[in-house]
């Protein structure tokens, strides 16, 4: 598995198209989210030039995991779409607090893949470790994310320091909550993480 980190410009149009199509397949086709997006491609107002992406690729260079991170002193999903999930707590607005969104680790190429939501495989742990490593390297102290209730148990079982920001809220057919995830002060031990520019140079002939 290869983890690639970069902005839209650094990833390039081909990999952005892969990501958009993968996100549509995960969040619209599989999870049934009602999102305002073009058919077959999922992106929103929080996908812009300063957004940072962490993508996982398999040996066939197919996307098997995605994550989107933004500092909370910019526009971000929780603040604009789900502010009620913070309850009486103040919405974060701090360059040292990032929002993690559009997180998924589904490998559609695996035969017999079980349906466990967007946090359903060992890829998820490596992908989240990569996000934490990126965050730690940039001086980030915490992540905040909008999560379904089932993710809470999985995060704790995997050993992450995660906790609710407030009580869960029913949104449509789903119970959601704002989840804090502490960023370790030391870099996580994970597989190789490649900057997008380096990845393109290595695989330029592909």
């Amino acid at each position: 598995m290869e983890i690639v980190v970069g902005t839209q410009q650094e990833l390039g149009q081909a990999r952005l198209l892969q990501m958009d199509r993968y996100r549509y397949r995960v969040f619209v086709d599989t999870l049934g989210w009602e999102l305002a997006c073009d058919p077959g491609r999922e992106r929103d107002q929080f996908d812009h030039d300063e957004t940072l992406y962490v993508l996982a690729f398999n040996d066939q260079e197919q996307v098997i995991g995605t994550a989107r991170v933004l500092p909370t002193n910019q526009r971000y999903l929780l603040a604009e779409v789900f502010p009620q999930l913070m309850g009486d707590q103040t919405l974060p607005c701090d360059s040292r607090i990032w929002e993690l969104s559009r997180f998924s680790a589904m490998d559609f190429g695996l035969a017999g893949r079980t349906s466990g939501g967007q946090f359903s495989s060992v890829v998820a742990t490596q992908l989240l470790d990569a996000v934490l490593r990126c965050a730690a390297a940039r001086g980030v102290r915490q992540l905040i994310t909008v999560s379904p209730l089932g993710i809470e148990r999985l995060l704790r079982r995997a050993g992450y320091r995660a906790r609710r920001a407030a009580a869960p809220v029913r949104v449509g057919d789903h119970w959601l909550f704002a989840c804090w995830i502490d960023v370790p002060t030391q870099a996580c031990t994970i597989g190789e993480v490649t900057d997008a520019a380096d990845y393109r140079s290595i695989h330029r002939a592909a």
Side-chain angles (χ1 to χ4, degrees):
M1 186 181 72
E2 186 90 26
I3 299 287
V4 181
V5 179
T7 62
Q8 293 190 62
Q9 182 177 2
E10 292 166 338
L11 291 174
Q13 289 302 312
R15 298 214 171 273
L16 285 175
L17 180 58
Q18 281 184 281
M19 179 188 72
D20 292 349
R21 288 175 173 170
Y22 175 86
R23 281 174 29 175
Y24 190 93
R25 189 173 182 185
V26 170
F27 297 109
V28 179
D29 287 344
T30 303
L31 298 179
W33 292 10
E34 296 182 2
L35 301 173
C37 57
D38 294 333
R41 299 185 63 177
E42 195 283 305
R43 60 174 43 234
D44 61 21
Q45 66 269 36
F46 308 108
D47 294 296
H48 51 70
D49 291 343
E50 297 182 11
T51 306
L52 187 66
Y53 302 96
V54 183
L55 307 180
F57 294 88
N58 63 16
D59 293 340
Q60 290 74 47
E61 298 189 36
Q62 299 169 327
V63 179
I64 58 174
T66 64
R68 177 178 71 183
V69 285
L70 284 167
T72 58
N73 60 346
Q74 299 181 12
R75 297 178 59 195
Y76 64 102
L77 181 71
L78 174 64
E80 296 196 10
V81 181
F82 300 107
Q84 69 272 30
L85 298 183
M86 290 298 292
D88 295 331
Q89 305 297 311
T90 302
L91 283 160
C93 181
D94 190 327
S95 62
R96 297 169 298 173
I97 300 174
W98 282 4
E99 180 189 57
L100 169 63
S101 61
R102 292 302 190 265
F103 185 91
S104 173
M106 286 186 181
D107 186 348
F108 292 103
L110 288 179
R113 179 186 60 83
T114 58
S115 178
Q118 70 265 40
F119 199 94
S120 58
S121 74
V122 294
V123 175
T125 300
Q126 296 187 28
L127 183 63
L128 184 52
D129 281 351
V131 171
L132 292 171
R133 182 173 174 176
C134 291
R138 290 163 173 80
V140 176
R141 297 183 293 106
Q142 289 179 304
L143 301 178
I144 187 76
T145 184
V146 175
S147 299
L149 277 178
I151 299 300
E152 182 179 37
R153 181 176 63 256
L154 292 168
L155 286 169
R156 290 178 176 173
R157 184 181 300 167
Y160 297 104
R161 296 182 59 186
R163 62 191 182 279
R164 298 178 183 181
V169 175
R170 188 177 180 89
V171 180
D173 295 330
H174 306 281
W175 283 94
L176 303 177
F177 73 107
C179 180
W180 289 109
I181 304 174
D182 291 340
V183 176
T185 55
Q186 296 180 348
C188 302
T189 302
I190 60 172
E192 180 181 1
V193 177
T194 305
D195 286 338
D198 294 336
Y199 187 86
R200 287 203 308 274
S201 67
I202 294 170
H203 297 272
R204 190 172 296 162

